[in-house]
């Protein structure tokens, strides 16, 4: 079975490194981009299954990157990340095809669970259940 591919797009290097480490450990092929141009190049060359996309990136904002990803391939899943609670931008991202959004600082375990659920990776048997 092929490894699922995950692209992390954020201008903050610390967030990219954290997410790369978490999702590489989960068994994904991970890619990273600090700006829209690099992200779109990776989308075209590697066709990720899912993109974690920051809403605010210098040069080309997350909404523009999202539009171009969806024009290239509507099946690529996108989860938005934002440090800002701008409801109009979040609504527009959802209208453009984003599955959900996480507000920074996000809970890394919630992010990991959401990505695993979207990509059908892992199972609930990994988690302990209380009696």
């Amino acid at each position: 079975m092929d490894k699922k591919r995950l692209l992390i797009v954020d201008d903050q290097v610390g967030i990219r490194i954290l997410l790369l480490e978490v999702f590489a450990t989960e068994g994904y092929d991970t890619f990273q981009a600090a700006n829209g141009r690099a992200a779109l190049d990776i989308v075209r060359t590697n066709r990720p299954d899912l993109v974690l996309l920051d809403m605010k990136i210098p040069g080309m904002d997350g909404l523009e990157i999202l539009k171009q990803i969806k024009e290239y391939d509507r099946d690529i899943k996108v989860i938005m990340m934002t440090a800002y609670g701008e409801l109009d931008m979040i609504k527009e991202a959802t209208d453009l095809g984003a599955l959900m959004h996480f507000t920074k600082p996000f809970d890394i375990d919630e992010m990991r669970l959401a990505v695993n659920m979207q990509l059908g990776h892992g199972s609930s048997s990994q988690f302990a259940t209380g009696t």
Side-chain angles (χ1 to χ4, degrees):
M1 185 166 128
D2 287 339
K3 279 180 146 182
K4 297 286 187 176
R5 292 176 301 279
L6 179 69
L7 170 59
I8 298 151
V9 185
D10 199 305
D11 59 318
Q12 297 177 30
V13 69
I15 289 176
R16 288 197 318 270
I17 290 170
L18 168 69
L19 293 172
L20 279 169
E21 288 176 357
V22 167
F23 290 112
T25 302
E26 289 288 308
Y28 297 109
D29 279 338
T30 55
F31 304 90
Q32 65 170 318
N35 59 59
R37 186 177 313 278
L40 294 171
D41 286 346
I42 292 169
V43 165
R44 289 183 191 102
T45 28
N46 297 291
R47 199 196 168 280
D49 298 290
L50 188 141
V51 178
L52 293 174
L53 177 58
D54 190 23
M55 193 89 75
K56 294 279 190 181
I57 296 179
M60 185 187 304
D61 74 8
L63 291 175
E64 182 58 35
I65 298 167
L66 173 61
K67 283 179 197 170
Q68 291 193 37
I69 289 171
K70 290 299 186 174
E71 284 171 9
Y72 176 74
D73 186 341
R74 295 220 45 92
D75 291 334
I76 295 175
K77 298 177 180 189
V78 179
I79 295 175
M80 302 300 292
M81 302 179 291
T82 180
Y84 312 92
E86 290 131 334
L87 295 176
D88 56 335
M89 286 184 75
I90 292 167
K91 182 186 178 332
E92 187 175 350
T94 303
D95 291 345
L96 289 169
L99 299 169
M100 62 181 68
H101 77 278
F102 281 87
T103 303
K104 296 176 186 175
F106 48 79
D107 180 309
I108 193 65
D109 289 325
E110 287 179 14
M111 174 77 77
R112 186 173 50 79
L113 185 61
V115 168
N116 286 341
M117 282 177 41
Q118 290 300 327
L119 294 179
H121 187 76
S123 69
S124 58
S125 65
Q126 293 176 333
F127 303 101
T129 55
T131 54

